[in-house]
Amino acid sequence: MPARQSALLWGLLALLAPGLAAQDLEVSRPSPSRGADFGIPYRGQVSRSAEQIYSYNYTSRPGQVDAFRVYVTSSSDDLQFPVLFVVRQQKGVLSWQVPLVFRGYYQKTYTYQEVSRTLCPMAPVEEPGSEEQYIFVDVASMAPYNVPYELLVARVVNFELETGVAFNFDASPSQPQYFLYKFPENVDSVIIKVVSKNAYPCSVVSVQDIMCPVYDLDHSVEFNGVYQSLTKKAAITIRRSDFPSGQFYVVFVIKPEDYACGGGSVPDSQQGKGNHTWNLQRVKHLQVTIVPSIKASVYVQAILLVLIIFLAFYLGALVVAFVHYFRIQRKAMDGRYSPDDGAGTVAASHPISAGTPEGSSYGAIDESSPGGGRQQCSPDGIPRSRTYSDSSVEEESDFDTMPEIECDKNVIRTKAFLYVSDLSRKDRRIVSKKYKIYFWNIITIAVFYALPVIQLVITYQTVVNVTGNQDICYYNFLCAHPLGVLSAFNNILSNLGHIMLGFLFLLIVLRRDILHRRSVEAKDIYEMEYGIPKHFGLFYTMGIALTMEGVLSACYHVCPNYSNFQFDTSFMYMIAGLCMLKLYQTRHPDINASAYAAYASFAAVIFLAVIGVVFGKDNVWFWVIFTVIHVLASLALSTHIYYMGRFKIDLGIFRRIAMVLYTDCIQQCSRPMYMDRMVLLIVGNLVNWSFAIFGLVYRPRDFASYMLGIFICNLLLYLAFYIIMKLRSSERIEPIPLFCILATAFVWASALYFFFQNLSSWEKTPAESREKNRECILMNFFDDHDIWHFLSAAAMFFSFLVLLTLDDDLDSVRREKIPVF
């Protein structure tokens, strides 16, 4: 307080309590303020009986911001009696102490005897003329002895950052920095890019509104504005609408420790006694550049580009449908019309028996037809007549006739050479309903899974927007374009391809299903046994899964982080599993897994993936247990596939496997009955065991991608085996599936290239993740990961078309001649 007010206060105290004032208190009168000049250091001493006040005055300039910086040092190391510095301005007070103490983790403290702070600038004078401004610096201490100090107040040069101009500076924990930036005309958003050659010391870059005080210390920098932690790279997109004044401060704070950036405490060699460290050298050289962001027109162009790209797929599908329609019309004019020609039926030139009863078995051939016919078999293998009776008494002859052998599924599946007719004996309607359960179940799963996901990511985005903590979400900040409340609209928009192509695939499957139903209703194929049995339930399920992958991936990219990674991968596991199930169902329609068993398996896989991400990092026991589960599951599934479902998967399966190995391989070594199937399963087990050993030895940090790699490799292996066996069986590949196969291979290869660019990683700290951030590569709007979204959507769409059309060449082939593999 001024000297005159202080004297009056002490005089009043002496009148009210003269004894106390004279005997117990040592009256300290501050010295009057002394005039000081900017840029000149002042040395002095303070104690409880003597404080110093320095007065600075300057003339503000119209339209310019005047910023000043205070530098203070003190050689005192007495933490009980620090030197207190209080800076008073017209609209604010700033204070600190020397030695300045920062508190770290585990009760550690870091003390600095040299401090410098930038004073909050006064608003520029708009009217012509000048205005006198004052700065008072009070220096005091409660020490009973004189404490030396040094003071310097200087004007800050280059306080305003310029657009597109890089600015270099140094900062430390006790000497933070901040600068002013003003939006240029016609610029609605800018990107603040900060780089450093050294990862450590850990830093924080913050963007704060024009107000005093400016929060520029480690314990206060998170109180206001938007902030990110920083090692080598950081980027913050700022919109003019967030700062009505059209300007803001960019604040740089150096942390006393590196825990927030993935490091740790200071090395032991630099630590002082106990947990106290003095004057640790943690100076970081930084470079900041502020550049304009994209304009609103780029958003419109990007949206139009995505729509044009994927609407082109719709146009292509429409062209193919018209070509197919005209081909049917031409065949109808030539007298060779079949309602489902080219879409899953046979040509009309094949013999059709019109005398087969309405309730005859799916695909049954009338006994008068060439090749004979079969009786309908009940689930227990006993031949049943399709004429129902109220009598529960079975005639003895029902059990004595030889055709029973042909109806026993265990006898059929032990044949050396199996054909599709052997594994498509169940009623078509029953099997179709079985596979429709997949579709209805995935609809239920999608609804119950997506609703809480959407609610959660909205909460995440709200937290980011309210707190300003951009370390919550792992974006590619160098190419994160906000729109509305969304921080990275481009990553969400790029998932539109999954949704559009998933819906297109559903339309293609629906068209085939309708044509097939028309043929069935016209009784053109109902009594015949030609081609692969048509069951579309799994295809519908795959279309829904592709659509939901786009929805959930978009939800994940609202705020990608460690807590919601499973949103992006869950349906990927399901898509890979559904593709394998569909490929197996093609020639094994009667013995494929039920929807309940399949989804239970997917749930177990997703559960393992979550456990692996949470507990799998450098946890040897987890990897040992997972390896054992992986190997045993591969053996059990291989046995189930090899014996065509006759080896039930239960607790006794491994005992039965051991008995078979002993009798067939040790006691009497014999050639496998199903050599092709055995080769596939051996190769498949070698691949899975290789994955298991790799995981056990190297323990990859990205467990979710590791699990997905296992699924994809198994799918590709099975698809390659299927195509090879198809060609070995003298079957041909039609032009459309051949084009889809080539497109799938090319697009998947391109997509994986962009996938492995790794623009961010929630397995590391946010600051370390930002070291991988890169600039946009398409239209200055989309990054590498967005291109992965585009290409992976197209690749999965082509993969689905391969499964849908691969066996179109068999539509005119009898099932008794289509081998099972």
Side-chain angles (χ1 to χ4, degrees):
M1 66 181 64
R4 182 178 299 176
Q5 296 179 3
S6 178
L8 291 175
L9 178 63
W10 289 111
L12 180 63
L13 181 62
L15 291 175
L16 295 176
L20 178 64
Q23 301 175 11
D24 300 333
L25 293 179
E26 178 181 352
V27 179
S28 172
R29 293 179 173 84
S31 61
S33 62
R34 52 183 293 188
D37 297 324
F38 295 109
I40 298 178
Y42 294 92
R43 297 179 178 86
Q45 294 180 340
V46 291
S47 65
R48 69 174 58 171
S49 60
E51 68 177 69
Q52 299 290 335
I53 302 177
Y54 296 87
S55 174
Y56 297 84
N57 68 304
Y58 66 95
T59 302
S60 60
R61 295 165 292 182
Q64 295 188 7
V65 177
D66 295 300
F68 297 91
R69 192 168 179 86
V70 180
Y71 301 84
V72 296
T73 59
S74 175
S75 59
S76 173
D77 58 359
D78 191 346
L79 298 179
Q80 296 297 323
F81 301 103
V83 180
L84 306 178
F85 294 87
V86 180
V87 181
R88 293 178 286 126
Q89 296 175 270
Q90 180 178 338
K91 293 184 178 180
V93 176
L94 182 65
S95 63
W96 66 90
Q97 69 178 47
V98 177
L100 182 62
V101 180
F102 294 97
R103 301 197 178 276
Y105 288 93
Y106 309 111
Q107 290 79 46
K108 293 181 179 180
T109 58
Y110 303 88
T111 306
Y112 292 87
Q113 294 174 302
E114 182 176 351
V115 181
S116 65
R117 304 282 299 277
T118 300
L119 303 182
C120 190
M122 295 295 298
V125 179
E126 301 296 339
E127 299 179 357
S130 60
E131 183 179 347
E132 197 78 10
Q133 298 289 341
Y134 293 91
I135 300 175
F136 294 95
V137 181
D138 298 357
V139 186
S141 176
M142 296 300 292
Y145 51 85
N146 290 330
V147 181
Y149 68 91
E150 183 174 343
L151 170 67
L152 171 66
V153 180
R155 188 183 296 271
V156 178
V157 183
N158 298 322
F159 182 67
E160 284 193 46
L161 299 174
E162 299 180 14
T163 304
V165 178
F167 181 70
N168 297 277
F169 61 95
D170 294 330
S172 69
S174 63
Q175 301 182 36
Q177 299 271 13
Y178 67 87
F179 305 94
L180 175 69
Y181 179 80
K182 296 181 179 180
F183 278 97
E185 294 293 332
N186 301 321
V187 174
D188 295 325
S189 63
V190 295
I191 301 178
I192 304 171
K193 301 179 181 179
V194 186
V195 296
S196 176
K197 293 182 179 179
N198 301 318
Y200 300 105
C202 178
S203 313
V204 174
V205 54
S206 172
V207 178
Q208 301 179 20
D209 202 358
I210 302 297
M211 58 181 298
C212 296
V214 177
Y215 299 98
D216 61 347
L217 290 179
D218 175 56
H219 68 274
S220 64
V221 68
E222 299 176 0
F223 291 173
N224 186 27
V226 179
Y227 60 92
Q228 292 180 5
S229 56
L230 165 69
T231 51
K232 290 185 176 181
K233 194 181 297 184
I236 302 178
T237 300
I238 300 298
R239 292 177 285 187
R240 181 190 288 267
S241 59
D242 297 330
F243 297 93
S245 63
Q247 54 188 350
F248 54 82
Y249 292 132
V250 185
V251 184
F252 301 90
V253 175
I254 310 301
K255 284 188 166 293
E257 294 179 327
D258 296 326
Y259 286 106
C261 295
S265 182
V266 298
D268 294 337
S269 59
Q270 300 183 25
Q271 290 188 3
K273 296 180 179 180
N275 290 332
H276 204 92
T277 304
W278 286 82
N279 299 319
L280 182 63
Q281 295 299 314
R282 287 177 62 82
V283 178
K284 187 163 187 172
H285 180 75
L286 298 165
Q287 181 185 82
V288 57
T289 308
I290 302 180
V291 297
S293 184
I294 61 175
K295 297 182 179 180
S297 60
V298 180
Y299 284 83
V300 178
Q301 295 171 8
I303 295 173
L304 290 177
L305 176 65
V306 174
L307 292 175
I308 291 172
I309 289 176
F310 293 106
L311 286 177
F313 284 85
Y314 282 77
L315 181 61
L318 191 62
V319 170
V320 172
F322 270 113
V323 170
H324 178 249
Y325 173 78
F326 287 124
R327 186 165 64 92
I328 291 178
Q329 293 299 319
R330 187 175 60 183
K331 288 186 177 183
M333 294 176 63
D334 295 339
R336 297 180 294 108
Y337 169 69
S338 175
D340 199 22
D341 191 21
T345 63
V346 299
S349 58
H350 290 285
I352 302 176
S353 174
T356 307
E358 175 72 14
S360 62
S361 65
Y362 171 50
I365 300 295
D366 190 83
E367 292 185 0
S368 61
S369 303
R374 294 195 312 269
Q375 291 177 294
Q376 176 72 16
C377 297
S378 66
D380 58 2
I382 301 175
R384 305 291 188 193
S385 172
R386 295 296 296 178
T387 303
Y388 297 100
S389 173
D390 294 335
S391 175
S392 61
V393 180
E394 301 287 350
E395 296 184 6
E396 188 177 356
S397 60
D398 289 342
F399 301 93
D400 294 337
T401 54
M402 289 298 295
E404 295 171 12
I405 299 178
E406 295 297 328
C407 294
D408 190 345
K409 63 179 182 181
N410 291 319
V411 175
I412 292 174
R413 297 176 197 176
T414 54
K415 293 166 61 176
F417 298 99
L418 281 172
Y419 296 93
V420 172
S421 60
D422 297 320
L423 298 178
S424 59
R425 308 172 70 88
K426 294 182 180 179
D427 188 277
R428 177 189 62 85
R429 293 166 296 181
I430 296 175
V431 177
S432 293
K433 288 182 179 179
K434 170 186 174 182
Y435 291 118
K436 284 181 181 178
I437 297 176
Y438 277 92
F439 173 74
W440 294 113
N441 279 7
I442 201 170
I443 291 291
T444 305
I445 292 171
V447 171
F448 280 90
Y449 197 91
L451 290 180
V453 167
I454 294 173
Q455 181 181 4
L456 180 62
V457 296
I458 290 175
T459 302
Y460 272 124
Q461 186 66 73
T462 303
V463 171
V464 172
N465 295 339
V466 171
T467 65
N469 183 4
Q470 295 201 352
D471 283 353
I472 296 176
C473 306
Y474 287 72
Y475 304 117
N476 175 19
F477 288 91
L478 288 174
C479 188
H481 301 295
L483 181 65
V485 298
L486 301 174
S487 300
F489 173 71
N490 54 303
N491 293 150
I492 299 172
L493 176 63
S494 59
N495 285 284
L496 184 62
H498 295 87
I499 300 173
M500 294 181 65
L501 293 184
F503 186 69
L504 175 58
F505 184 75
L506 288 173
L507 293 179
I508 294 174
V509 174
L510 178 62
R511 174 182 173 272
R512 287 204 164 208
D513 193 5
I514 291 174
L515 292 176
H516 178 68
R517 289 180 182 179
R518 288 177 181 175
S519 298
V520 171
E521 292 172 359
K523 298 185 180 179
D524 288 329
I525 64 167
Y526 188 76
E527 295 85 10
M528 300 175 59
E529 289 194 347
Y530 288 92
I532 298 296
K534 307 300 180 198
H535 303 295
F536 296 96
L538 275 173
F539 283 127
Y540 285 119
T541 307
M542 291 158 58
I544 294 296
L546 180 57
T547 303
M548 288 306 304
E549 171 58 30
V551 173
L552 292 178
S553 180
C555 291
Y556 166 74
H557 285 91
V558 169
C559 182
N561 57 59
Y562 173 83
S563 302
N564 61 4
F565 72 94
Q566 67 272 15
F567 302 163
D568 192 32
T569 57
S570 297
F571 271 81
M572 288 186 181
Y573 299 136
M574 296 180 68
I575 288 173
L578 289 171
C579 288
M580 284 188 281
L581 284 172
K582 181 57 196 176
L583 202 56
Y584 186 77
Q585 179 229 34
T586 302
R587 307 202 182 209
H588 310 76
D590 287 358
I591 61 173
N592 204 14
S594 68
Y596 307 110
Y599 288 124
S601 302
F602 297 152
V605 169
I606 295 172
F607 175 78
L608 273 177
V610 174
I611 295 297
V613 171
V614 176
F615 301 105
K617 297 178 181 178
D618 300 324
N619 191 325
V620 178
W621 281 109
F622 168 80
W623 283 99
V624 170
I625 295 173
F626 174 76
T627 301
V628 172
I629 294 175
H630 188 183
V631 172
L632 293 180
S634 299
L635 287 173
L637 187 60
S638 299
T639 306
H640 187 77
I641 292 175
Y642 182 79
Y643 287 102
M644 309 291 278
R646 290 181 293 114
F647 253 63
K648 293 184 178 180
I649 299 181
D650 53 22
L651 295 178
I653 186 171
F654 298 106
R655 179 179 58 83
R656 295 193 295 272
I657 291 175
M659 292 177 59
V660 171
L661 289 175
Y662 175 76
T663 56
D664 291 354
C665 298
I666 299 176
Q667 193 175 45
Q668 179 182 358
C669 187
S670 58
R671 181 179 182 276
M673 180 177 293
Y674 313 112
M675 181 57 69
D676 295 331
R677 208 179 306 159
M678 177 62 73
V679 171
L680 167 67
L681 294 174
I682 289 176
V683 174
N685 275 273
L686 290 177
V687 169
N688 280 277
W689 295 352
S690 300
F691 267 104
I693 295 173
F694 173 83
L696 183 62
V697 174
Y698 293 98
R699 297 192 290 276
R701 293 177 60 87
D702 191 354
F703 185 80
S705 297
Y706 168 77
M707 285 282 289
L708 188 60
I710 294 175
F711 270 79
I712 292 177
C713 282
N714 280 275
L715 173 60
L716 294 178
L717 177 66
Y718 189 22
L719 180 60
F721 169 80
Y722 190 93
I723 294 175
I724 292 173
M725 293 301 300
K726 182 178 179 66
L727 297 176
R728 272 194 60 189
S729 303
S730 300
E731 299 175 7
R732 69 182 188 276
I733 299 179
E734 297 288 334
I736 290 181
L738 179 60
F739 168 77
C740 293
I741 290 173
L742 296 177
T744 298
F746 174 76
V747 178
W748 267 123
S750 304
L752 291 176
Y753 168 79
F754 289 99
F755 175 75
F756 288 112
Q757 295 305 305
N758 291 329
L759 303 181
S760 62
S761 175
W762 45 258
E763 298 169 346
K764 299 183 178 181
T765 63
E768 291 173 323
S769 172
R770 275 187 282 273
E771 294 180 16
K772 301 182 177 183
N773 289 177
R774 296 183 187 176
E775 301 282 351
C776 304
I777 63 173
L778 180 62
M779 297 180 61
N780 199 28
F781 190 85
F782 297 111
D783 60 15
D784 298 76
H785 198 72
D786 295 324
I787 306 302
W788 149 255
H789 287 162
F790 295 148
L791 295 178
S792 63
M796 283 190 278
F797 176 72
F798 283 123
S799 301
F800 290 0
L801 289 182
V802 170
L803 299 181
L804 183 64
T805 62
L806 186 56
D807 289 314
D808 281 355
D809 60 304
L810 301 177
D811 289 344
S812 58
V813 179
R814 296 181 61 87
R815 290 180 192 160
E816 287 84 353
K817 297 181 180 180
I818 302 177
V820 172
F821 40 79

